[in-house]
Amino acid sequence: MTAAPGRRSSTFTRLLRHGFTDPSAAERLLDGPELAPVRSDPILLEALGAVADPDLALRGLVGLLEAQADHTARRGLLDTLIAAKPLRDRLLGVLGASAALAEHLARHPGDWEALLTYEPRDLHPGVEEFERGLAPADDPVSLRVAYRRCLLSIAARDVCGTTDVAETAAELADLATATLRAALRIATAAAPQDAALCRLAVIAMGKCGGHELNYVSDVDVIFVGEAAEGADEGKALRAATKLASHMMRICSETTVEGSIWPVDANLRPEGRNGPLVRTLSSHLAYYQRWAKTWEFQALLKARPVAGDLALGTEYVAAVEPLVWKAAERENFVVDVQKMRRRVVENIPAAEVERELKLGPGGLRDVEFAVQLLQLVHGRSDASLRSGTTLDALQALAAGGYVGRADAVQLDDAYRFLRSMEHRIQLYRLRRTHLVPEDEDDQRRLGRSLGLRTDPVVELNREWKRHAAVVRRLHEKIFYRPLLDAVAQLSPTLELARAGGPPSGEARLSLEAARERLIALGYADPAAALRHLEALASGVTRKAAIQRTLLPVLLAWFADSADPDAGLLNFRKVSDALGKTPWYLRLLRDEGAAAENLARVLSAGRLAPDLLLRAPEAVALLGDGDGDGGGLQPRGRAQLEQETLATVGRAGNAEQAVTAARGVRRRELFRTAAGDIVSSYGTETRPAEPDQGALVDRVGAAVSDLTAATLAGTLRAVVREGWGDTLPTRFAVIGMGRFGGHELGYGSDADVLFVHEPREGTDEREASEAANRVVAEMRRLLQVPSADPPLLIDADLRPEGKSGPLVRTLKSYEAYYRRWSLVWESQALLRAEPVAGDEELGRRFIELIDPLRYPAQGLGEDAVREIRRLKARMESERLPRGADPKLHTKLGPGGLSDVEWTVQLLQMRHGWAQPGLRTTRTREALAAARAAGLITAEDAETLDEAWVLATRVRNAVMLVRGRAGDTFPSESRELTAVGRYLGYGPGRVGELLDGYRRTARRARAVVDQLFYGG
């Protein structure tokens, strides 16, 4: 009896030394029957002492043993626990960190075996492994059980240090992905009739989308739905909404096994007031017109995770360009800063100091700073476009957008704070971001993070230290005053201290200089001053010339829709060519060059982008040999001669086509620059009054350039594969706008490919050769490079996408004789040989002439069919959400209306009127007028509408740098389109009204001639 107190005292001391806070209770548990077989084994006590909360782990272990079915099961668990260190570390680590998972194990005592395997594939499971783990679940309750079984393994790897905090967050996001898929599977099984009506994509947002989820967090989602083939859209959206709602309930509702986590769809357009499921076009319409800055910030993390992944991928691809334009929104940085301040202000005062996520120096500070920098700089640097905070931070450091030392400190702080958040949530599996006040809770938290000497003191010290680092760096990065300037201008702008204006006039104060620039229309005078100092400071001859040029250049920039961009682009060109002796001399000595450059650099994105890829093309802007100088488009013969010579000097096909594309890029710049200068006019030469001449010039130039590029590519491919002679004659036939000499800056090249085996050549060999040529041409013209790709579209071929890419002339003849439909004959109206064997091209035209200009004209059945097809196209092809009255291609009075009307006249009367046998719309319209088939007034109305619609499309491409059939919604872009079309500042309303009026008059003529004639 006397020994008992001594033994108790010895055990009590050992338990204290191993980290137990209630040694008496622990001793009772160790002496209980459940642990009797191992109570004297030192391995168990050492293992318990290594976990975050030894008392919690011991209680959880006893509860698990008590829950085992029988003595054999208990003994098997204990034997494995003592013998297998990986299991011991995993199981006791989880039990010592999470009371909630201990309770799960007590309810499901066999789940401990999920921690038994320790294979390499178990170290970093992904979505596929988690899906297998959830596969047996067929209802909400079994899904919760399977989810927590998977969560056990994640927590075990986390607390044992097998995974770091970023890997744990990624695994939690992967488990969430698998869970959403399982929930949708269960919902689909419950309502297969709804599932059959729709395509439903689940887009993860927030931390799940960013692959950085917490243990317990709302899983933010957006739903995108489309009708299944043949289904009514309204019914499909209702069905998709039912499926989405059911899926959310499966995850969120509380059952006997609790809930998983709430699924939150409030980041969708219009939030809670908007429909739960929208179509892709509806999403885009909202984002393009109504979305606020924070919504684009949220879309940074959008990622398709469940349902129709193809639709989800399409959604992300569609919204991504909008995300990376968000920083161009007016007051973008101010909006983001206001959001951040509003978040802090909404935290209850009593919780601010304990708020790990939203408080000052918290996780949100890091996330907001990183996201802001991504949105500002990610527009031009795709390496920054990661939804994962730490990956994005690393990319920002690698790109020089954040100092490396700052990035390391932010990374360390973020990892520590996220680890705290994880362990706080893991304890009860509750959604919280508050650091606990209770000392025991803080002690467990500190020990879980490896702080063992004095866990509470060390935890608070490290937490405050990291929070202070975040606060300091966050304020340095997030509230940097000049960041607004970077957001509105180029992400590559180097922040420098602004100086005064160039010499040559009285030196203004800094504030006065800003006021003057604002008066000139500069949205960002501080940035403009930095550019001016960079360009004109110093005592070099170069700086002196710049000081001479800049005052007049500033005025020219100001006479545009975007003076800031003009000045910025000028700085870029000057930086690129600053050491080239002829550059500044050209601008100084050739009167037209400086003004032409100013117009081109401030008129939109396309021309500056083309110029900055090869700045030496600025030489084209000089006076040249006469009116228009070097900006006059070159003829096809010249282009083809240069292209073929360039190809001939190259070592292989890839080098040859790269060189040909370089010629194309330069000539596209020549054409675009000439178009801009002619549209704006200069001080010595007014704007071109004939809008039709401008359209014809661009259409012919781009079409000729495309033909020359195809000719050079064809030569390069044939030479590399077969030497001088291809085993089959081969020709490229231009179709659509290409064949009509009406290509725009953003047009694809519509073509047909025809070949004819040479004498003595096997037909199979000839066909294989022709197909190889086409495949290689298409590949080489799209190889990623500094030059814009040339996309070849052969969808107008017989049988469309289902038909062979290349046919022999005989095959075309057989097809057209037997199968040709009226729309194909109509499409052939634009067919014209553009490259390859001229004789074969001529014979192809002879073959199709009777089809497109049928003897005695079209029959009434064919006319009705054309009208039916046009009506169907009007109802089906107009993009959902687009304003028909402003759609230049498919809207009333747009390009399609005019072209179909003209083409119907060609097919009905071309057999008798030779003037109608042309591939060009305006020529055919003029011929119809000359033949008396249309009145002069109606012809003029249709011509005006066609020219205006074409000009608008060209303007959109010049301004935005990408093709579009509607007017831009952004005010500065719309203003730039107006300036190109001759509408001065503040006349955007007149521009839109003028287009609607012109289109409305044209539609009235179309209704009479096309549908009523």
Side-chain angles (χ1 to χ4, degrees):
M1 297 293 293
T2 56
R7 287 197 303 273
R8 178 181 176 84
S9 177
S10 173
T11 304
F12 190 91
T13 303
R14 286 170 58 216
L15 291 171
L16 279 175
R17 190 169 66 247
H18 281 92
F20 286 85
T21 58
D22 188 352
S24 298
E27 192 171 10
R28 286 194 297 273
L29 290 173
L30 287 168
D31 285 339
E34 292 79 15
L35 292 173
V38 296
R39 70 165 58 104
S40 60
D41 195 319
I43 290 178
L44 177 61
L45 198 57
E46 291 289 338
L48 287 167
V51 305
D53 188 338
D55 302 87
L56 182 65
L58 181 57
R59 291 196 299 272
L61 178 59
V62 171
L64 176 59
L65 288 166
E66 289 175 342
Q68 296 303 306
D70 51 36
H71 173 75
T72 302
R74 281 194 294 275
R75 185 68 202 204
L77 169 56
L78 283 173
D79 288 347
T80 308
L81 187 72
I82 299 301
K85 185 178 188 304
L87 171 71
R88 187 165 63 247
D89 292 343
R90 285 180 165 197
L91 179 57
L92 295 182
V94 169
L95 293 174
S98 179
L101 289 178
E103 291 167 4
H104 170 83
L105 284 169
R107 290 195 308 274
H108 303 280
D111 279 5
W112 68 269
E113 295 183 7
L115 306 178
L116 192 56
T117 55
Y118 201 76
E119 301 296 331
R121 67 175 177 275
D122 299 312
L123 296 183
H124 300 291
V127 175
E128 185 179 344
E129 288 77 15
F130 289 129
E131 282 193 280
R132 283 200 295 267
L134 300 179
D138 55 6
D139 59 59
V141 173
S142 60
L143 181 60
R144 282 150 177 71
V145 175
Y147 174 84
R148 285 202 164 74
R149 188 181 303 121
C150 293
L151 194 64
L152 269 172
S153 64
I154 294 177
R157 285 186 292 275
D158 179 15
V159 299
C160 291
T162 305
T163 54
D164 65 18
V165 65
E167 292 168 328
T168 299
E171 288 187 14
L172 289 166
D174 286 341
L175 176 56
T177 295
T179 304
L180 291 170
R181 292 178 183 179
L184 185 57
R185 168 172 52 82
I186 294 170
T188 299
Q193 68 284 1
D194 287 335
L197 288 173
C198 64
R199 300 169 61 199
L200 177 64
V202 184
I203 311 297
M205 304 287 285
K207 282 188 162 54
C208 185
H211 224 227
E212 52 186 11
L213 197 60
N214 301 328
Y215 275 102
V216 186
S217 173
D218 289 357
V219 170
D220 296 309
V221 299
I222 284 177
F223 295 105
V224 186
E226 296 287 350
E229 187 173 353
D232 175 76
E233 184 177 286
K235 291 180 180 179
L237 286 177
R238 287 192 292 273
T241 300
K242 291 179 187 176
L243 286 175
S245 299
H246 191 189
M247 187 204 81
M248 293 173 69
R249 292 196 303 273
I250 289 171
C251 296
S252 305
E253 286 183 348
T254 301
T255 69
V256 292
E257 287 291 339
S259 67
I260 301 176
W261 18 247
V263 177
D264 188 340
N266 289 335
L267 291 178
R268 66 187 185 271
E270 300 181 78
R272 298 184 186 196
N273 297 321
L276 183 63
V277 182
R278 288 176 182 256
T279 62
L280 175 57
S281 60
S282 176
H283 276 283
L284 290 178
Y286 173 84
Y287 287 127
Q288 289 165 348
R289 187 170 184 184
W290 303 111
K292 298 180 175 62
T293 298
W294 70 264
E295 293 176 280
F296 293 110
Q297 186 179 1
L299 286 170
L300 267 172
K301 297 183 179 291
R303 179 170 65 94
V305 292
D308 191 316
L309 295 181
L311 177 58
T313 301
E314 189 178 351
Y315 168 88
V316 171
V319 301
E320 187 178 27
L322 303 178
V323 172
W324 302 114
K325 286 179 61 182
E328 299 169 11
R329 293 165 62 91
E330 190 174 357
N331 299 321
F332 162 73
V333 174
V334 174
D335 286 347
V336 176
Q337 291 172 341
K338 285 180 179 177
M339 284 189 288
R340 178 68 192 96
R341 284 192 287 270
R342 191 157 51 244
V343 167
V344 175
E345 290 164 2
N346 289 337
I347 304 172
E351 296 180 355
V352 169
E353 294 304 316
R354 295 193 296 123
E355 176 58 66
L356 193 63
K357 178 180 179 181
L358 303 177
L363 291 163
R364 186 58 61 86
D365 277 351
V366 181
E367 293 161 357
F368 260 62
V370 168
Q371 289 167 22
L372 175 59
L373 290 170
Q374 283 183 276
L375 289 172
V376 170
H377 298 294
R379 289 172 291 161
S380 63
D381 189 343
S383 70
L384 306 181
R385 299 177 184 181
S386 170
T388 307
T389 300
L390 290 178
D391 289 348
L393 179 58
Q394 184 179 8
L396 286 165
Y401 304 103
V402 174
R404 290 188 181 276
D406 291 347
V408 168
Q409 290 186 69
L410 277 178
D411 185 281
D412 288 345
Y414 189 75
R415 288 176 183 274
F416 184 84
L417 296 174
R418 280 302 301 271
S419 296
M420 284 184 68
E421 181 184 45
H422 276 189
R423 302 302 165 76
I424 291 169
Q425 294 183 350
L426 181 59
Y427 177 51
R428 286 290 183 191
L429 288 182
R430 290 177 183 165
R431 184 175 178 268
T432 178
H433 309 287
L434 293 177
V435 178
E437 294 179 291
D438 182 78
E439 186 171 311
D440 286 343
D441 290 335
Q442 289 192 10
R443 180 177 181 275
R444 180 183 60 256
L445 180 56
R447 283 175 59 90
S448 76
L449 297 172
L451 307 173
R452 297 300 174 93
T453 303
D454 191 344
V456 175
V457 172
E458 291 179 80
L459 172 68
N460 282 280
R461 183 175 64 238
E462 288 298 297
W463 169 33
K464 298 302 181 186
R465 181 177 69 83
H466 284 297
V469 167
V470 171
R471 184 68 183 268
R472 175 176 58 82
L473 292 177
H474 168 266
E475 289 176 346
K476 174 182 174 184
I477 295 171
F478 193 84
Y479 292 103
R480 187 181 299 159
L482 294 178
L483 196 56
D484 190 44
V486 185
Q488 294 178 40
L489 293 179
S490 167
T492 58
L493 179 63
E494 182 180 355
L495 295 176
R497 187 170 181 81
S503 60
E505 59 185 42
R507 192 171 184 84
L508 300 172
S509 70
L510 190 61
E511 186 57 36
R514 288 196 181 102
E515 290 174 355
R516 177 171 294 190
L517 287 166
I518 290 172
L520 286 169
Y522 288 83
D524 193 344
L529 287 170
R530 286 196 300 277
H531 297 322
L532 293 177
E533 175 154 359
L535 288 163
S537 62
V539 295
T540 64
R541 183 170 175 273
K542 180 179 76 170
I545 297 176
Q546 288 280 24
R547 284 194 292 270
T548 301
L549 291 169
L550 279 167
V552 67
L553 283 170
L554 286 173
W556 284 326
F557 292 145
D559 186 33
S560 72
D562 197 347
D564 302 84
L567 180 55
L568 170 63
N569 288 328
F570 178 67
R571 180 179 174 183
K572 287 182 176 180
V573 173
S574 295
D575 287 346
L577 296 176
K579 296 182 180 179
T580 306
W582 56 264
Y583 166 62
L584 289 175
R585 189 168 63 244
L586 171 78
L587 299 184
R588 182 192 62 189
D589 297 342
E590 293 203 28
E595 186 176 3
N596 289 347
L597 180 62
R599 297 298 182 195
V600 167
L601 294 180
S602 56
R605 296 183 181 181
L606 179 65
D609 181 55
L610 291 168
L611 177 60
L612 289 167
R613 294 180 188 193
E616 63 277 4
V618 76
L620 298 174
L621 299 170
D623 288 328
D625 299 325
D627 189 31
L631 297 182
Q632 286 291 340
R634 301 165 72 203
R636 179 170 169 182
Q638 279 183 291
L639 293 169
E640 193 164 317
Q641 181 180 16
E642 181 186 2
T643 303
L644 292 176
T646 301
V647 165
R649 291 190 294 269
N652 56 48
E654 192 148 331
Q655 293 173 358
V657 176
T658 298
R661 289 173 64 180
V663 172
R664 177 172 176 263
R665 179 201 60 235
R666 184 197 67 213
E667 294 303 320
L668 275 176
F669 171 72
R670 187 199 303 270
T671 302
D675 188 18
I676 291 167
V677 170
S678 296
S679 297
Y680 272 77
T682 66
E683 291 184 351
T684 59
R685 190 170 63 251
E688 169 63 62
D690 187 347
Q691 302 286 298
L694 290 173
V695 164
D696 291 344
R697 188 182 307 158
V698 171
V702 178
S703 299
D704 287 346
L705 179 54
T706 301
T709 305
L710 289 178
T713 304
L714 176 60
R715 171 75 62 84
V717 171
V718 171
R719 185 184 65 182
E720 178 150 301
W722 296 271
D724 293 333
T725 306
L726 191 67
T728 185
R729 299 180 188 278
F730 186 90
V732 183
I733 310 298
M735 299 288 287
R737 299 192 185 285
F738 186 14
H741 298 256
E742 297 162 359
L743 283 180
Y745 298 112
S747 301
D748 296 347
D750 289 316
V751 299
L752 298 177
F753 297 106
V754 58
H755 78 104
E756 184 177 66
R758 297 185 185 276
E759 290 184 16
T761 301
D762 177 71
E763 286 197 12
R764 175 178 291 184
E765 178 190 354
S767 177
E768 289 176 354
N771 277 282
R772 279 176 55 197
V773 166
V774 171
E776 189 66 359
M777 287 179 68
R778 298 179 83 175
R779 183 186 74 82
L780 290 172
L781 288 169
Q782 296 180 54
V783 170
S785 74
D787 301 313
L790 175 56
L791 302 179
I792 297 177
D793 188 341
D795 289 352
L796 291 176
R797 65 187 183 271
E799 301 178 81
K801 293 181 180 180
S802 302
L805 269 174
V806 193
R807 288 177 181 263
T808 63
L809 187 62
K810 288 183 178 179
S811 176
Y812 276 106
E813 181 181 7
Y815 176 86
Y816 288 138
R817 183 176 63 250
R818 186 173 183 185
W819 303 110
S820 179
L821 300 175
V822 66
W823 73 264
E824 292 177 296
S825 298
Q826 183 182 354
L828 289 170
L829 286 167
R830 316 294 291 276
E832 180 173 296
V834 293
D837 190 295
E838 294 182 7
E839 172 64 16
L840 180 59
R842 183 187 61 75
R843 289 164 56 205
F844 180 85
I845 296 302
E846 290 175 353
L847 167 67
I848 65 170
D849 270 348
L851 289 169
R852 54 185 182 173
Y853 310 121
Q856 307 306 313
L858 285 178
E860 286 305 311
D861 287 345
V863 172
R864 279 194 296 271
E865 176 64 10
I866 289 176
R867 289 170 175 164
R868 187 188 68 80
L869 287 171
K870 176 71 169 69
R872 179 181 172 186
M873 183 178 71
E874 289 178 9
S875 64
E876 294 181 1
R877 290 185 57 189
L878 190 72
R880 194 175 291 110
D883 182 352
K885 295 178 181 178
L886 293 176
H887 198 281
T888 60
K889 182 177 181 181
L890 300 176
L895 295 171
S896 175
D897 267 2
V898 176
E899 289 166 1
W900 281 60
T901 301
V902 171
Q903 289 162 14
L904 182 59
L905 289 172
Q906 288 181 282
M907 296 184 76
R908 297 182 80 172
H909 304 285
W911 66 278
Q913 298 292 337
L916 290 174
R917 300 172 201 165
T918 175
T919 62
R920 307 180 189 216
T921 301
R922 298 189 72 216
E923 277 190 10
L925 185 56
R929 173 183 175 178
L933 301 173
I934 181 174
T935 67
E937 183 181 358
D938 286 349
E940 185 176 340
T941 298
L942 292 181
D943 185 71
E944 182 185 3
W946 189 90
V947 166
L948 178 58
T950 303
R951 289 272 288 160
V952 171
R953 295 178 94 209
N954 284 344
V956 169
M957 184 66 188
L958 284 169
V959 170
R960 304 183 73 186
R962 61 179 186 274
D965 294 317
T966 60
F967 288 87
S969 57
E970 197 273 325
S971 61
R972 180 164 284 195
E973 291 180 345
L974 185 57
T975 300
V977 168
R979 295 301 305 274
Y980 171 85
L981 294 172
Y983 291 84
R987 296 179 58 199
V988 166
E990 295 177 45
L991 162 68
L992 298 178
D993 288 344
Y995 179 83
R996 291 189 187 99
R997 185 168 54 252
T998 301
R1000 186 169 59 247
R1001 289 201 303 262
R1003 179 63 185 208
V1005 174
V1006 171
D1007 284 340
Q1008 176 189 353
L1009 293 178
F1010 184 83
Y1011 288 111

